[in-house]
């Protein structure tokens, strides 16, 4: 089972030119997670949990920096993080579902990072060490979110876990759907663009100067 | 008597604003709450925050007004992509995806989020929103509004006269002839992020010599009637919005700068880019001056109210006041697209029959909660306690060379920290400036900081201060001497903030006077690439990560 997981998680490392892109994608995910956690810290009514979320956010931001630096090294030239939004899970689903979702993500991340560390231990020890430092944090995050779900957020935790699973599956479905339908959409839009090309004849020219309004 | 919510979204810097009975009750940019810089998404958090600040339920809203016409915008985008046939195919695909996926349904999205009937949600014109925000918030009558940005539905620039139902359009210039587009292209060419790095271009320009005027004047030409024309073949905004410039611009100006390379203004290559920034800034200022003169000629108004993203160019604003035909000039502080939300709400209030209350204080966002700050800080392992006189104590620390994070009252509307969410230090010490730039903010070394001074000392320290723009830092003034090197730019100007007796920093500045300091360096409480802090948890997050010496949240002092 572990061999299969290792193969699945590390497959794309084997593809030429993929390393920096994948590291950058990890950095993006960590940066987005940091933003999400800062919003959660602002939104939760409990100051202790707000502090936990802020500490977690600081870890995620640090991970993003480490991974971005590694992506730069792997590429051989600087890479910047594209700026994206985040899913606003706390705002959409409330705190228990948010934490259940974060817990799922941390558990999955921990498993993946274990596989990545095994993969790079001999191939690239420096990268393996960087990933190992992140892995230690992932374990801690997995643990504290589990404690929250068993403790202060225990009321309704099973339902929150089920909802988080549905949200997670929905996200994956949309990602797969987008990947599958993207090319079809591109072809259809190209066709529409060509068919509508005569409209270009009626397109207004770039009129300069003042237009006066009565 | 009506409650009206204005909203801007889906381009960049989304926001919400609430006007109740003609009075501005709340205004909040989404980025401050989502922590996504220039967040363009539907501002759900900002909407909810405004309603909470106004203590009003969504069901009690009489109108919800979106800041632009989404259908005319779609038309312009489609026409642009067809006009660029066949090169516009990729843009057409991306544009339809975002238009059909989100933008076209914005009125329905607002109705669904608020749980109000769709009929209660309407829209106004983009530039009219800007104009309303400027005219209604201006501290004077007998004014004309000038709105200058990248593009609205079709216009990039417009002159507006006040009228009973809202600003009346006098004259306009259509996209793609756009000063916002011109400056965005230069911003991207210099390796900065469009819609964010424009401030950096302005700061950089002071280091350069405008030796590329001839080349830049081929890109942007000002006409005798005050209008302007872009060499549109050099710009690619509608095909590559993240870059905005085309190959022809590169042929004219030379290779563009790589975005990630650190700046070294001693190198010949980066000197060239600084010189280009200087020429671009000069060209923009000349164009803005010409527009101002045209607005005056067409209306005869004595005063000018400015809005639109280009109105955030404080160097251009300063020249407009100094060399233009107007006695007074005012800039609505959130002059970019965020400000459209405020204008939309004001227009909605007018259409409901309300008279607009012109009093305007930019502290319109979420409030600081010192009790919560203290509780969260202690769980973070920080020292947090109440102090009797935070101004006096902070002044002592500042006099000793501390860098102080300062959180007071409701957060600022617009891009500038005005004392509600500020980082402060002494303005007479360049070492502190450099520490602030490098260690705390993580910014490029060439970016200047701004001074803050009480009204009564402003004229002694800065030429032309105070004026209608200095309370919100939307202009620059020349420093009288070199006593504030930490917050005076290399060209001898400063983006000074002046503070009246009601200002958030008045007490602290008074306390500083006891230490022989009449001004402080005031910069935004955020790191490079991040939105300004709003909630106290964001302030704590910043304090832990970036390590200023002390954080004051009202009367709560937080140290490590």
């Amino acid at each position: 089972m572990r061999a299969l997981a290792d193969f699945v998680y590390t497959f794309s490392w084997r593809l030429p030119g993929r390393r920096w892109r994948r590291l950058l994608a990890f950095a993006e995910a960590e940066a987005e997670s940091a933003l999400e956690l800062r919003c959660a810290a602002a939104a939760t009514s409990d100051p202790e949990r707000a502090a936990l979320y802020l500490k977690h956010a600081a870890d995620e931001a640090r991970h993003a920096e480490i991974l971005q630096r590694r992506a730069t090294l792997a590429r051989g030239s600087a890479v910047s993080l594209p700026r994206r939004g985040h899913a606003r899970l706390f705002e959409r689903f409330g705190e228990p579902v948010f934490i259940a979702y974060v817990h799922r993500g941390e558990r999955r991340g921990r498993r993946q990072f274990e596989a990545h560390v095994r993969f790079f231990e001999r191939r690239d020890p420096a990268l393996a060490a960087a990933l190992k430092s992140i892995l230690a944090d992932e374990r801690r995050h997995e643990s504290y979110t589990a404690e929250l779900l068993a403790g202060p957020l225990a009321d309704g935790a099973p339902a929150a876990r089920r909802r988080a699973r549905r949200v997670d599956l929905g996200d994956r479905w949309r990602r797969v759907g987008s990947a599958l339908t993207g090319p079809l959409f591109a072809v259809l839009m190209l066709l529409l663009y060509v068919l509508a090309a005569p409209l270009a004849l009626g397109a207004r020219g770039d009129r300069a100067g003042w237009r006066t309004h009565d | 008597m009506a409650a009206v919510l204005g909203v801007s979204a889906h381009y960049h810097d989304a926001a919400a604003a609430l006007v109740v009975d003609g009075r501005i009750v709340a205004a909040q940019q989404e980025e401050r709450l989502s922590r996504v810089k220039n967040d363009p998404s539907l501002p759900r958090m900002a909407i909810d925050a405004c309603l909470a600040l106004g203590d009003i339920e969504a069901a009690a809203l009489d109108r919800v007004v979106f800041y632009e016409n989404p259908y005319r915008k779609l038309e312009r985008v489609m026409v642009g992509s067809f006009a660029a046939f066949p090169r516009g195919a990729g843009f057409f695909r991306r544009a339809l995806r975002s238009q059909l996926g989100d933008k076209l349904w914005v009125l329905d999205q607002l109705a669904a989020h608020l749980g109000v009937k769709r009929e209660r949600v309407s829209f106004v014109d983009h530039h009219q929103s800007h104009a309303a925000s400027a005219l209604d918030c201006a501290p004077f009558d007998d004014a004309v509004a000038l709105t200058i940005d990248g593009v609205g539905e079709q216009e990039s620039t417009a002159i507006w006269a006040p009228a009973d139902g809202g600003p009346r359009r006098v004259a306009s210039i259509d996209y793609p002839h756009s000063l916002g587009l011109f400056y965005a292209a230069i911003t991207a060419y210099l390796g900065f992020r469009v819609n964010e790095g424009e401030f950096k271009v302005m700061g950089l320009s002071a280091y350069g010599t405008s030796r590329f005027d001839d080349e830049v004047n081929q890109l942007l030409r000002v006409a005798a009637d005050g209008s302007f024309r872009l060499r549109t073949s050099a710009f690619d905004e509608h095909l590559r919005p993240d870059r905005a410039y085309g190959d022809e611009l590169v042929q004219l100006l030379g290779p563009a700068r790589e975005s990630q390379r650190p700046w070294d203004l001693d190198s010949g290559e980066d000197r060239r880019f600084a010189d280009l920034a200087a020429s671009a800034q000069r060209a923009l200022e000349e164009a803005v001056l010409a527009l101002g003169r045209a607005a005056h000629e067409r209306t005869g108004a004595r005063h000018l109210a400015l809005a639109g993203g280009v109105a955030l160019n404080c160097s251009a604003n300063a020249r407009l006041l100094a060399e233009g035909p107007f006695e007074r000039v005012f800039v609505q502080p959130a002059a970019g697209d965020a400000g459209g939300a405020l204008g939309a709400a004001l227009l909605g209030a007018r259409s409901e029959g309300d008279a607009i209350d012109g009093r305007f204080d930019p502290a319109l966002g979420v409030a600081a909660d010192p009790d919560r700050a203290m509780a969260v800080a202690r769980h973070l392992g920080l020292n947090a306690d109440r102090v009797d006189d935070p101004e006096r104590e902070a002044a002592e620390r500042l006099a000793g060379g501390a860098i102080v994070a300062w959180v007071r009252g409701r957060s600022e509307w617009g891009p500038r920290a005005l004392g509600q969410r500020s980082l402060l230090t002494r303005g007479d010490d360049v070492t502190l400036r450099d520490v602030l730039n490098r260690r705390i903010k993580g910014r490029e070394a060439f970016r200047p900081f701004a001074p803050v001074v009480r009204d009564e000392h402003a004229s002694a320290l800065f030429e032309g201060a105070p004026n209608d723009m200095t309370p919100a830092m939307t202009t620059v003034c020349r420093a009288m001497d070199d006593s504030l090197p930490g917050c005076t730019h290399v060209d001898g100007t400063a983006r000074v903030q002046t503070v009246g007796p009601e200002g958030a920093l008045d007490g602290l500045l008074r306390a500083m006077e006891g230490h022989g300091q009449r001004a402080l360096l005031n910069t935004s409480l955020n790191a490079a690439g991040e939105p300004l802090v709003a909630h106290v948890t964001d302030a704590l997050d910043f304090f832990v990560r970036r390590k200023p010496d002390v954080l004051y949240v009202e009367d709560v002092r937080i140290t490590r």
Side-chain angles (χ1 to χ4, degrees):
Chain A
M1 199 63 184
R2 194 174 98 169
L4 179 64
D6 278 8
F7 180 77
V8 169
Y9 290 141
T10 61
F11 173 75
S12 68
W13 294 127
R14 298 164 203 271
L15 301 174
R18 286 285 297 169
R19 186 176 295 190
W20 74 266
R21 286 197 179 85
R22 192 145 190 227
L23 287 166
L24 188 63
F26 285 172
E28 262 183 77
E30 297 280 344
E32 283 177 28
S33 175
L35 296 179
E36 188 100 57
L37 284 154
R38 284 174 195 151
C39 288
T44 183
S45 56
D46 183 85
E48 186 175 1
R49 292 202 293 277
L52 284 171
Y53 301 157
L54 287 180
K55 286 177 187 168
H56 190 162
D59 288 341
E60 303 290 64
R62 190 165 35 79
H63 297 168
E65 283 172 18
I66 292 170
L67 291 162
Q68 186 183 359
R69 272 201 303 274
R70 286 283 146 194
T72 295
L73 281 172
R75 189 191 188 194
S77 61
V79 294
S80 59
L81 282 177
R83 188 167 295 151
R84 292 198 187 153
H86 54 88
R88 298 161 191 249
L89 293 166
F90 193 115
E91 180 201 351
R92 284 162 58 202
F93 303 113
E95 190 165 10
V97 176
F98 169 70
I99 285 300
Y101 186 94
V102 171
H103 179 69
R104 284 179 67 81
E106 295 297 333
R107 191 177 55 195
R108 186 168 55 238
R110 188 255 303 159
R111 287 176 184 158
Q112 288 183 9
F113 271 78
E114 284 170 352
H116 301 323
V117 167
R118 284 195 292 274
F119 182 80
F120 283 116
E121 243 161 5
R122 272 179 295 170
R123 293 175 174 87
D124 186 344
L127 178 55
L131 296 176
K132 209 180 264 183
S133 72
I134 295 173
L135 180 58
D137 290 337
E138 302 287 325
R139 288 190 179 118
R140 195 156 34 80
H141 299 155
E142 186 185 355
S143 161
Y144 98 82
T145 49
E147 285 167 20
L148 286 181
L149 289 167
L153 301 176
D155 278 355
R161 285 178 192 272
R162 285 195 298 275
R163 184 82 193 269
R165 187 164 64 232
R166 285 201 301 277
V167 173
D168 194 10
L169 288 172
D171 287 351
R172 287 162 183 244
W173 168 247
R174 271 188 291 280
R175 276 199 295 273
V176 171
S178 176
L180 292 176
T181 57
L184 179 65
F185 181 78
V187 170
L188 286 174
M189 287 303 105
L190 181 62
L191 198 62
L192 181 61
Y193 186 69
V194 171
L195 288 173
L199 292 174
L201 299 172
R204 278 177 280 187
D206 57 346
R207 181 185 177 283
W210 290 112
R211 246 185 332 128
T212 302
H213 304 266
D214 294 326
Chain B
M1 304 293 266
V4 181
L5 183 74
V7 176
S8 64
H10 292 327
Y11 187 50
H12 57 88
D13 210 2
L18 181 65
V19 172
V20 179
D21 301 339
R23 190 171 64 86
I24 303 165
V25 168
Q28 179 69 59
Q29 287 156 263
E30 182 73 357
E31 63 160 20
R32 308 284 159 87
L33 306 181
S34 71
R35 311 309 300 153
V36 178
K37 181 85 171 171
N38 291 331
D39 192 344
S41 57
L42 195 75
R44 293 181 175 89
M45 298 166 103
I47 289 171
D48 295 348
C50 284
L51 294 179
L53 286 163
D55 194 21
I56 190 169
E57 298 286 329
L61 289 170
D62 295 283
R63 284 192 68 184
V64 180
V65 187
F66 189 60
Y67 84 127
E68 66 181 10
N69 181 333
Y71 313 113
R72 281 194 61 211
K73 192 146 188 174
L74 172 67
E75 180 195 345
R76 193 248 308 154
V77 167
M78 293 297 99
V79 168
S81 67
F82 287 129
F85 187 87
R87 286 198 315 139
F91 174 73
F92 178 78
R93 185 185 75 241
R94 288 192 299 276
L96 269 194
R97 187 176 181 148
S98 75
Q99 290 283 341
L100 297 179
D102 235 356
K103 296 179 178 176
L104 206 50
W105 321 112
V106 64
L107 307 182
D108 302 274
Q109 291 168 352
L110 287 170
H113 176 69
L114 290 162
V116 299
K117 287 186 178 169
R118 169 64 181 78
E119 299 80 59
R120 248 190 275 176
V121 186
S122 59
F123 59 80
V124 289
D125 276 2
H126 182 107
H127 274 258
Q128 194 181 24
S129 299
H130 280 319
S133 76
L135 284 171
D136 285 340
C137 298
F140 41 63
D141 296 321
D142 192 11
V144 57
L146 183 57
T147 58
I148 319 169
D149 69 4
V151 61
E153 289 86 3
Q154 184 61 39
E155 298 158 338
S156 71
T157 307
I159 297 169
W160 301 83
D164 286 342
R168 179 179 59 79
R169 189 186 278 105
V170 175
S172 60
I173 296 171
D174 279 353
Y175 178 87
H177 300 285
S178 158
L179 294 183
L181 166 57
F182 163 75
Y183 214 69
I186 297 296
T187 299
Y189 174 86
L190 294 173
F192 304 122
R193 227 184 262 254
V194 170
N195 293 327
E196 189 179 322
E198 283 79 356
F199 295 122
K200 300 182 187 180
V201 178
M202 193 170 51
L204 179 66
S205 68
Y207 287 87
T209 306
S210 51
R211 64 184 171 98
F212 291 104
D213 287 355
D214 290 345
E215 288 86 345
V216 171
N217 289 340
Q218 289 183 50
L219 297 171
L220 169 62
R221 200 168 307 157
V222 176
D225 65 357
S227 69
F228 59 87
R229 169 187 284 272
L230 288 195
R231 182 163 145 187
T232 53
S233 53
F235 297 88
D236 242 358
E237 200 269 344
H238 60 291
L239 299 183
R240 286 185 281 194
D242 58 332
R243 183 175 132 163
Y245 62 88
D247 297 336
E248 200 173 314
L249 186 141
V250 177
Q251 284 165 15
L252 185 68
L253 301 182
R257 193 176 189 283
E258 302 154 49
S259 62
Q260 293 292 310
R261 190 164 55 77
W263 280 87
D264 174 12
L265 287 171
D266 293 328
S267 77
E269 199 182 357
D270 280 351
R271 294 289 318 171
R272 181 177 78 84
F273 289 116
D275 293 345
L276 273 164
S279 289
Q281 175 65 26
R282 186 186 178 104
L284 180 94
E285 288 173 13
E286 295 298 334
V288 170
L289 260 173
L291 289 172
R293 289 179 182 127
H296 181 70
E297 275 167 25
R298 285 172 181 263
T299 63
R302 287 163 54 215
H303 307 133
L304 176 67
L306 277 168
V310 176
L312 291 170
N313 193 301
C314 48
S315 300
N317 299 343
R319 283 196 64 191
L320 202 42
L321 179 61
E323 301 171 39
F326 298 102
E327 292 171 24
R328 297 169 70 179
V329 176
F330 167 77
V331 181
Q332 193 269 113
D337 274 6
L342 179 57
L346 291 163
L347 286 168
R350 277 183 188 279
S351 70
E352 292 287 324
D354 282 347
I356 302 301
D357 180 343
R359 282 173 297 176
F360 176 70
D361 176 354
L364 289 165
V366 295
D369 181 346
D371 293 334
R372 182 168 164 80
M374 187 151 72
V376 176
R378 287 178 174 166
H379 284 294
L380 284 167
L382 301 169
N383 303 312
D385 43 23
R386 290 193 184 275
V387 290
D388 291 334
D389 190 347
E391 276 89 0
R392 185 187 53 77
E393 200 200 277
E396 277 172 21
R397 286 174 182 264
L398 285 162
I403 294 174
V404 171
W406 188 256
V407 175
R408 272 287 160 104
R410 293 175 63 179
S411 58
E412 297 91 341
W413 170 242
R416 301 293 176 210
L418 302 173
Q420 283 80 20
R421 305 290 185 272
S422 283
L423 269 174
L424 305 162
T425 195
R426 281 169 53 162
D428 60 348
D429 188 338
V430 289
T431 314
L432 288 170
R433 176 199 66 191
D434 294 342
V435 169
L436 201 50
N437 244 344
R438 274 200 294 268
R439 183 168 69 78
I440 310 281
K441 301 273 288 184
R443 312 191 311 176
E444 296 88 350
F446 63 77
R447 295 183 63 188
F449 286 114
V452 56
V453 59
R454 290 201 301 127
D455 280 345
E456 66 184 72
H457 298 306
S459 61
L461 294 172
F462 301 100
E463 279 178 28
N467 62 47
D468 295 304
M469 293 183 278
T470 52
M473 284 182 171
T474 52
T475 189
V476 294
C477 299
R478 186 157 297 282
M480 291 291 198
D481 55 37
D482 55 1
S483 62
L484 294 168
C487 46
T488 305
H489 203 20
V490 67
D491 61 357
T493 65
R495 202 184 56 229
V496 61
Q497 180 195 3
T498 55
V499 176
E502 306 297 321
L505 291 172
D506 181 68
L508 181 59
L509 286 165
R510 284 176 190 274
M512 285 306 294
E513 287 162 18
H515 297 275
Q517 302 271 329
R518 289 185 294 179
L520 280 171
L521 181 161
N522 175 20
T523 185
S524 52
L525 185 53
N526 63 341
E530 295 176 359
L532 186 55
V533 155
H535 288 297
V536 292
T537 49
D538 305 322
L540 287 165
D541 178 59
F542 179 87
F543 181 70
V544 169
R545 285 185 298 120
R546 310 304 300 200
K547 300 184 172 46
D549 295 305
V550 59
L551 164 64
Y552 289 92
V553 179
E554 306 282 357
D555 62 344
V556 172
R557 177 189 56 203
I558 296 162
T559 54
R560 272 173 289 275

